[in-house]
Amino acid sequence: MIALLTLLACPVDEETTIDLDGDGVVLADDCDDENADIHPGAEEICDEVDNDCDGEEDEGLFADAWVDADNDGYGGEGNPISVCGTKAGYVAQSGDCEDDDPAIHPGADEVCNGIDDDCDGITDSADDIWYADADADGYGDDATGIQTCEPAAGWVNQAGDCNDAEPTIHTGADEACNAIDDDCDGVADLGVENRWYQDEDADGYGHPYIYEDTCLPQEGWVLDGTDCRPGDDEAYPGASERCNEVDDSCEGTVDEGFDVDGDGHFDTVCPTGDDCDDTDNQIYPGAPEFCESGADEDCDGEDPDCGFSGSYALDTDADFLSENGHYGMGYMLESGDVNGDGYDDIFSGHYSAQGGMVTFGPYSGTFDATDQGTTHTSDASAYSGPGRSIGMGDVDGDGLEDVGFGAPYGGTQGIVVVMGPADQDTTLENDFGVEFVGHQAIYAGHGCDIGDVTGDGVEDLVVGAYYTDEGGGFASGAGYIKYGPVSGSYDLTEDADGVIIGPDASSYMGRWVRAGGDHDGDGIGDILIAAPYASTGAPSGGTVYLIYGPAEGSIDTATDADGYVYSSSASSYLGEGRTFAQGDVDGDGLADAVVGGYSYGGGTGIMSVVYGPAAGGTDVSSGDIVITGSRGSYFGMGPSAGDLDNDGAAELLIGASASGSGGEAYLFWSPASGTYDNTDADATFEGDSGDGAGSNTALGDLDDNGNLDLLIGASNHGGAYGGGVYGMLTFY
């Protein structure tokens, strides 16, 4: 009892146990135990109350604020007041140099108005620098730069003109070979120079140790410096070996090939030699002749009753030779009936001579082209390089073949068409029937062709412009299509009915074009267009794209091509030099893509046939038919595909202008699927020494007998410096 009373007599310490507001802080430690928002550790807010019980009210919450009279978020530049939290009409950001104008404050856009809009102390500080452009080329003189809101007429905001008196000279201009710094990079003629070698014996090969790097070579200097005997015009790489104890062919061997086959007759390269084939002991003068053997067994220059088999010497076996037209005659060839007399005529482009010629059939013997044809040239006032590419077809629907000249250089770039019958000499600037005008520096017309790619029975124009950046990047290239019938003048880009866009930058698509073959069997012609610098399979391996007709609107080859053939071997430049054609090689009624590259394999050359209908990508070395040449022969030049024997399947005629001493062309009779080389050809046509035979080929009915005949261009016939224009056009 005494203990209980004692316990009741000791009162409990209520301040250390009671928490009236339930904020977790007992009465003894809580400066306001009736408000749960007030206790030690509470967040201090602007309410003139000591929220955290530290003895101070609203500590640390005061900040400077300035009056914002124009409500633009920035206060004026006067003295601030101290504000806890926010206060209507005040902001925490000062620096407004005009607090009565909401458009003026720090960070505002500076405009040309005579006002310091962004309060940085500088009026109109966002002005561009303007430069005087005296020659109106879009680039101004660096030394004339001024900052202004109101530039004078003729001033531009692009500097970089190192010669403001000449509109062709400015930053980014094309460097020309003229001893002038055209592109203002500080170096004249940079990038347009080559190494030239002295060719003292005029054999086309220069002295290996006498050279200069220039873009303006001396007369008689050449790009090839591999002459092993610079003073002998009959000794050079690939020359015929003579019996003279000298290495005439620069192969490191002297007088090789006397009587290689041991038949008792020396090779004809020797002064007393009479063996026309010293590699075969069954061939020599007096040997038995075998008909249809493809060989001249008795060396009399004939193979009795032989058609297209074996070997032929074009200088003696050709049925005709057309020569002395223009320099480079035979480099580009087409055939068709221009004048409506039933004989196919020959159209040869000679871009180095500013045009080309049409010679009219029938043909026989050796004749001067200027006596049996018409010339169609440019005086270079509007066109430069006409004949770089050519096309034949009836673009006006009159039943006569018309001739088209791609003219990629000069001020007016594109294609001009001379309407059939083309039986009078013409000046292209004045006498064209159709003009498809490009724009400067896109090289429109470097590739062109004529063919019906819409299926309406009238042939259309397809013009390549390999240096445009139509949509695929710099120099991606493009092909422009204009539907026939056509006449008059058209703008390349504005009037085109369709455009084929190159795959990527620097692919140079459109350098060469073929059109009209039906690869998918829908009755509408299709287009093959080359991008020889495309790197689809390897750097500069090249790609030839197939576009099915009707070709209309914008077609991006990177995504919309119906098929393509590419090379996985670097620097093949597939399609360069118009090394592709269209024709039904397998006889199934569909056109096949005949695609090659003479640079493939370091000049070995290749020709591949991809059967129609093509789809997806095909490596040129994996086609249905693959044919390769010999190294350095440029096998694959100017192929043609046509049905010579009327069996429904096309034959292949393929040039190799650097093969042997005079170039060659190879004929394959409707080859089956498989792999071949040039030695498997059914017939070989050999040019005379230096001819460059096989630089291009074509097929046409030149004798009006219903069968196709052969044309083989020899663009160097007569010699590189023989004067005039040289050509060799042959058929059997």
Side-chain angles (χ1 to χ4, degrees), residues 110-112 124-131 144-151 155-159:
E110 190 73 31
V111 296
C112 287
D124 299 337
S125 58
D127 298 344
D128 288 332
I129 305 299
W130 293 83
Y131 305 86
T144 64
I146 61 172
Q147 183 179 19
T148 180
C149 287
E150 298 179 355
W155 287 61
V156 296
N157 61 359
Q158 170 93 355

Side-chain angles (χ1 to χ4, degrees), residues 114-258:
I115 298 173
D116 179 13
D117 301 280
D118 58 1
C119 296
D120 64 352
I122 303 173
T123 300
D124 299 337
S125 58
D127 298 344
D128 288 332
I129 305 299
W130 293 83
Y131 305 86
D133 182 14
D135 56 10
D137 60 3
Y139 294 82
D141 184 346
D142 294 21
T144 64
I146 61 172
Q147 183 179 19
T148 180
C149 287
E150 298 179 355
W155 287 61
V156 296
N157 61 359
Q158 170 93 355
D161 199 333
C162 55
N163 185 347
D164 203 31
E166 175 53 59
T168 62
I169 299 176
H170 55 76
T171 297
D174 290 333
E175 191 71 30
C177 185
N178 54 11
I180 296 173
D181 180 15
D182 301 282
D183 60 2
C184 297
D185 64 354
V187 183
D189 300 338
L190 181 63
V192 295
E193 295 180 337
N194 287 299
R195 176 158 291 184
W196 295 86
Y197 300 85
Q198 183 186 48
D199 182 15
E200 60 184 276
D201 55 12
D203 61 5
Y205 297 86
H207 195 298
Y209 306 118
I210 302 178
Y211 59 84
E212 63 177 355
D213 295 326
T214 180
C215 62
L216 297 171
Q218 303 175 55
E219 183 177 357
W221 288 51
V222 297
L223 290 170
D224 190 315
T226 59
D227 200 337
C228 59
R229 292 181 59 79
D232 186 346
D233 64 358
E234 294 186 68
Y236 50 84
S240 298
E241 195 69 32
R242 297 171 288 175
C243 294
N244 57 2
E245 298 183 353
V246 169
D247 178 17
D248 301 291
S249 60
C250 300
E251 295 174 340
T253 305
V254 175
D255 292 347
E256 68 270 18
F258 286 116

Side-chain angles (χ1 to χ4, degrees), residues 145-532:
I146 61 172
Q147 183 179 19
T148 180
C149 287
E150 298 179 355
W155 287 61
V156 296
N157 61 359
Q158 170 93 355
D161 199 333
C162 55
N163 185 347
D164 203 31
E166 175 53 59
T168 62
I169 299 176
H170 55 76
T171 297
D174 290 333
E175 191 71 30
C177 185
N178 54 11
I180 296 173
D181 180 15
D182 301 282
D183 60 2
C184 297
D185 64 354
V187 183
D189 300 338
L190 181 63
V192 295
E193 295 180 337
N194 287 299
R195 176 158 291 184
W196 295 86
Y197 300 85
Q198 183 186 48
D199 182 15
E200 60 184 276
D201 55 12
D203 61 5
Y205 297 86
H207 195 298
Y209 306 118
I210 302 178
Y211 59 84
E212 63 177 355
D213 295 326
T214 180
C215 62
L216 297 171
Q218 303 175 55
E219 183 177 357
W221 288 51
V222 297
L223 290 170
D224 190 315
T226 59
D227 200 337
C228 59
R229 292 181 59 79
D232 186 346
D233 64 358
E234 294 186 68
Y236 50 84
S240 298
E241 195 69 32
R242 297 171 288 175
C243 294
N244 57 2
E245 298 183 353
V246 169
D247 178 17
D248 301 291
S249 60
C250 300
E251 295 174 340
T253 305
V254 175
D255 292 347
E256 68 270 18
F258 286 116
D259 183 15
V260 175
D261 55 13
D263 59 8
H265 294 263
F266 292 117
D267 193 292
T268 56
V269 299
C270 296
T272 59
D274 59 1
D275 196 337
C276 57
D277 186 352
D278 201 35
T279 64
D280 190 333
N281 62 9
Q282 301 299 310
I283 299 176
Y284 52 87
E289 186 78 61
F290 297 98
C291 180
E292 300 294 339
S293 67
D296 177 17
E297 287 88 359
D298 62 0
C299 295
D300 65 354
E302 298 181 0
D303 186 2
D305 300 323
C306 290
F308 295 101
S309 63
S311 298
Y312 299 87
L314 293 174
D315 61 332
T316 58
D317 295 339
D319 290 293
F320 74 82
L321 166 62
S322 176
E323 58 186 2
N324 299 328
H326 286 293
Y327 180 76
M329 184 177 183
Y331 177 73
M332 279 291 155
L333 288 176
E334 290 280 4
S335 181
D337 188 1
V338 173
N339 58 2
D341 65 355
Y343 294 93
D344 278 356
D345 308 306
I346 301 169
F347 176 25
S348 177
H350 319 136
Y351 77 94
S352 296
Q354 289 294 101
M357 298 189 68
V358 178
T359 54
F360 299 96
Y363 304 91
S364 63
T366 298
F367 62 92
D368 192 312
T370 58
D371 296 334
Q372 193 168 321
T374 57
T375 61
H376 307 275
T377 60
S378 167
D379 61 11
S381 62
Y383 301 104
S384 182
R388 189 62 157 120
S389 64
I390 58 178
M392 263 185 138
D394 183 10
V395 297
D396 59 355
D398 66 353
L400 296 177
E401 298 286 295
D402 307 308
V403 295
F405 293 78
Y409 315 117
T412 302
Q413 299 176 340
I415 180 175
V416 293
V417 177
V418 177
M419 300 300 192
D423 54 2
Q424 300 292 323
D425 292 348
T426 63
T427 300
L428 298 179
E429 286 82 355
N430 304 319
D431 303 322
F432 63 83
V434 178
E435 177 187 42
F436 208 4
V437 179
H439 301 285
Q440 193 169 15
I442 64 173
Y443 304 127
H446 191 284
C448 77
D449 203 7
I450 298 173
D452 181 9
V453 297
T454 59
D456 63 355
V458 180
E459 296 191 286
D460 314 301
L461 297 178
V462 183
V463 181
Y466 75 86
Y467 214 63
T468 184
D469 53 353
E470 182 70 38
F474 171 76
S476 56
Y480 297 92
I481 304 155
K482 183 62 182 174
Y483 300 156
V486 291
S487 63
S489 182
Y490 301 91
D491 182 273
L492 184 72
T493 55
E494 294 180 0
D495 297 327
D497 296 298
V499 58
I500 305 170
I501 299 172
D504 48 35
S506 300
S507 61
Y508 283 17
M509 195 195 74
R511 275 180 71 83
W512 307 99
V513 178
R514 294 278 85 180
D518 183 9
H519 294 255
D520 57 355
D522 63 355
I524 302 174
D526 307 316
I527 298 171
L528 287 178
I529 185 166

